[in-house]
Amino acid sequence: MYIDIVPNRNSPPAILLRESIREGRKIRKQTLANLSHWEPTRVELLRRLLRGELDRQPLTEAVAGPVFGVLFSLKKVAEDLGMVQALGQERIGKLGLFLILARVAHQGSRLSAVRWGRDQAVAEVLGVRDFDEEDLYAGLDDLAERQSQIEQRLYQRYVQRRGSAPVLFLYDVTSSYLEGEHNELAEYGYNRDGKSGKKQIVVGLLTDAEGEPLSVRVFAGNTADPTTLPEQIETLRRQFGVEEVVFVGDRGMIKSQGKEQLTAQRMRYITALTDPQIRRLLKRQVLQLGLFEEKICEVEAERLRYILRKNPAEARKDWHRVEDKLQKLQQKVEARNQQVRDSPRCQPEAGLHQLQQWSQRHKLSSFVSLTLEQRHLTVRLDAAAQQQALALAGCYVIETDVPKPLLAAQTAHDRYKDLTQVERDIRTLKTGLLEVRPIFLRKEKRTRGHALVCMLALKLSREIQRRLVAVFGTTDSDPHAVTLPDALAALNRLCLLHYPIDEHRSLTRLPQPDAHQAQILKALKVHLPSPPL
């Protein structure tokens, strides 16, 4: 057998696998296969094999190539979610996709993503070659410019996957501190990260009732939480074309102004009341303390519905916390009295002032008083005032304007509790798997692009975790269940192999996954290229 290249006029030559057959005095060529669709390196390797050139150099000395399993699997799941189509097939869109995949598998800065990409099969999977951090910054700019379009396309794909548009939307806000002083959105504000002296940005995350991210917005660091609500309302109206909406937000988000805006937009809401708001309703006798029980209770007043519940476990925790604070206060008073006795020059008035501030800071001043009598500090506890201060321990009230025929009380209660999913996702976004913080960017556009990358990476990681849990369960039920980091670590071992043909050419192949990798790929519904690369 041999390789025969047959000219084909104006078309590419035909590459044929042939053998010679002797018929009497004549030799006839017989074509066994047409290899015109083969890659040139593969054809050359077969030619050398037929010539016997590889008899003393078997194909066992492969050279390890880039990691293939991670990027390929992430991209396939991203395709199922519609991300690849939403970002587009242009080079700039592929760079945006790389940023998202790298955020899931690597985190870090743009420069570190470039270094990480050198060990990944970026060219083979994404079709992108020779990029640096400046290219990735351009990718952030492009994502920020096309954010509304990208989110709209993903929302349309979401509706196709689910079969209907959502009605309930969850919304929460967080902040993320910045490194440096020159970010265009950076301002001093209420810092949830405990990083005093650092400027920050505010990030609002909009999800469906199950917590799947739909939209993200970035605001200046001094933006109050309720003032971020109008932009999300606008997103639902214009960008997603949603008409029937029930907005679910926490008690610090949907305040009187936010409720008015939602009502003006013909949207309904579910939120919770603050402690002062509950006490005002009790004073007006709209609510009564006796209605707070472990089983939910509903009260209707002024076209609003109030859903009441008392959590006994939380009530016990509140009482225990107060008892611990009282015990600690007593210890501080005794230590201060001992110091005054041991040091005649010690000023007891200074100690009284410090402990009064401590009491006020820990919310004990409403039922605890500190007095000074002949250089001796005394703690007095008003039991009745303490009982009144803790009357609402473990109690909460959920308020909604959704009519009862459209939403049962238990459903409204459960949907508000679903906000914990958004809070968990925000923790994942900030400090967990995706690490949106700290942010080293300066330009407003790139900061918004970075937030979008993290939101899309969150969307992708949630889908991967959902598929893994469906097959392997959770670590709560099985300590050996496969988590997302476990899956990425296993797929990181699935590398391409290069078989040298000569000094300038090689044949690239993908080895078969081992049993553990095969289980993960099956769980993720990812099929490796066939035939192999």
Side-chain angles (χ1 to χ4, degrees), residues 36-51:
S36 302
H37 61 284
W38 279 26
E39 296 178 0
T41 53
R42 193 177 184 187
V43 174
E44 180 62 23
L45 186 62
L46 180 59
R47 183 200 298 276
R48 295 183 61 190
L49 182 66
L50 294 175
R51 289 178 176 177

Side-chain angles (χ1 to χ4, degrees), residues 56-121:
R56 297 182 181 181
Q57 187 182 357
L59 292 177
T60 56
E61 298 179 359
V63 177
V67 178
F68 182 83
V70 172
L71 278 181
F72 184 81
S73 300
L74 292 177
K75 182 189 175 185
K76 286 299 179 182
V77 179
E79 283 180 351
D80 294 341
L81 294 175
M83 287 188 191
V84 176
Q85 299 86 337
L87 294 172
Q89 294 301 316
E90 300 293 331
R91 174 180 167 84
I92 195 70
K94 293 179 180 179
L95 288 172
L97 178 61
F98 172 78
L99 283 167
I100 297 166
L101 305 187
R103 179 58 51 178
V104 175
H106 174 67
Q107 296 85 55
S109 65
R110 265 54 56 182
L111 180 58
S112 67
V114 171
R115 293 195 298 265
W116 176 77
R118 293 170 184 166
D119 296 326
Q120 305 295 318

Side-chain angles (χ1 to χ4, degrees), residues 124-402:
E124 292 82 355
V125 175
L126 302 181
V128 180
R129 301 178 184 274
D130 302 327
F131 61 92
D132 56 21
E133 63 270 25
E134 292 301 325
D135 295 317
L136 297 185
Y137 283 128
L140 288 180
D141 293 337
D142 176 70
L143 288 173
E145 292 171 357
R146 298 192 295 134
Q147 179 172 356
S148 297
Q149 179 187 10
I150 292 170
E151 289 179 344
Q152 185 177 12
R153 289 180 178 177
L154 288 174
Y155 177 77
Q156 293 171 351
R157 181 62 176 267
Y158 164 87
V159 173
Q160 291 175 359
R161 286 191 288 117
R162 298 300 180 95
S164 62
V167 175
L168 279 165
F169 293 88
L170 309 181
Y171 180 59
D172 202 2
V173 169
T174 188
S175 60
S176 187
Y177 71 88
L178 303 165
E179 296 293 346
E181 298 287 331
H182 304 291
N183 187 285
E184 294 175 353
L185 290 170
E187 295 290 347
Y188 292 108
Y190 173 61
N191 198 303
R192 297 169 176 83
D193 302 324
K195 294 286 185 179
S196 59
K198 285 188 178 294
K199 292 184 177 182
Q200 64 178 22
I201 60 172
V202 172
V203 180
L205 181 63
L206 180 71
T207 76
D208 71 352
E210 297 178 2
E212 179 167 347
L214 300 176
S215 176
V216 67
R217 290 295 181 269
V218 181
F219 307 91
N222 58 356
T223 306
D225 291 359
T227 60
T228 67
L229 194 56
E231 186 163 339
Q232 294 298 352
I233 296 174
E234 191 71 11
T235 297
L236 290 173
R237 282 292 187 199
R238 292 194 176 182
Q239 187 169 302
F240 295 160
V242 177
E243 295 296 333
E244 294 295 329
V245 173
V246 179
F247 221 88
V248 187
D250 66 18
R251 64 196 74 193
M253 181 65 56
I254 303 180
K255 295 186 177 180
S256 57
Q257 183 180 0
K259 294 174 185 177
E260 293 173 0
Q261 292 169 339
L262 288 168
T263 303
Q265 294 288 336
R266 293 176 300 168
M267 294 185 178
R268 304 188 185 276
Y269 66 86
I270 301 174
T271 188
L273 300 183
T274 62
D275 189 274
Q277 289 173 326
I278 297 174
R279 292 185 182 275
R280 283 197 292 270
L281 290 175
L282 289 171
K283 188 176 182 180
R284 291 166 46 200
Q285 297 186 348
V286 176
L287 308 178
Q288 291 80 39
L289 274 175
L291 297 177
F292 288 93
E293 297 180 354
E294 186 170 2
K295 185 178 179 180
I296 66 172
C297 174
E298 182 176 355
V299 175
E300 293 187 58
E302 301 172 352
R303 294 184 297 179
L304 294 176
R305 299 167 59 196
Y306 301 101
I307 300 164
L308 292 62
R309 185 174 182 266
K310 181 173 184 176
N311 188 330
E314 286 298 323
R316 288 191 295 270
K317 288 181 182 179
D318 289 343
W319 277 93
H320 288 321
R321 278 193 288 266
V322 170
E323 291 172 358
D324 291 341
K325 291 177 182 179
L326 289 173
Q327 184 179 2
K328 190 170 184 179
L329 176 61
Q330 188 63 45
Q331 292 172 353
K332 288 179 174 291
V333 168
E334 292 175 359
R336 182 64 183 183
N337 286 334
Q338 183 64 44
Q339 183 180 359
V340 170
R341 286 194 296 269
D342 295 341
S343 177
R345 300 181 62 181
C346 185
Q347 298 294 326
E349 293 81 4
L352 174 63
H353 180 66
Q354 291 175 358
L355 291 174
Q356 284 175 337
Q357 287 184 327
W358 189 93
S359 175
Q360 187 173 6
R361 188 166 59 251
H362 289 83
K363 300 180 180 180
L364 301 178
S365 57
S366 62
F367 52 87
V368 170
S369 61
L370 293 166
T371 58
L372 181 62
E373 300 174 359
Q374 298 180 355
R375 296 175 59 84
H376 183 81
L377 289 173
T378 304
V379 180
R380 288 187 172 85
L381 175 65
D382 187 336
Q386 180 185 8
Q387 187 71 32
Q388 183 180 2
L390 293 174
L392 293 177
C395 298
Y396 56 91
V397 177
I398 295 172
E399 177 186 299
T400 180
D401 63 348
V402 183

Side-chain angles (χ1 to χ4, degrees), residues 10-27:
N10 297 328
S11 300
I15 302 175
L16 308 175
L17 175 63
R18 288 178 164 176
E19 66 177 354
S20 299
I21 300 176
R22 180 179 292 275
E23 294 180 352
R25 294 183 178 181
K26 295 183 179 181
I27 297 178

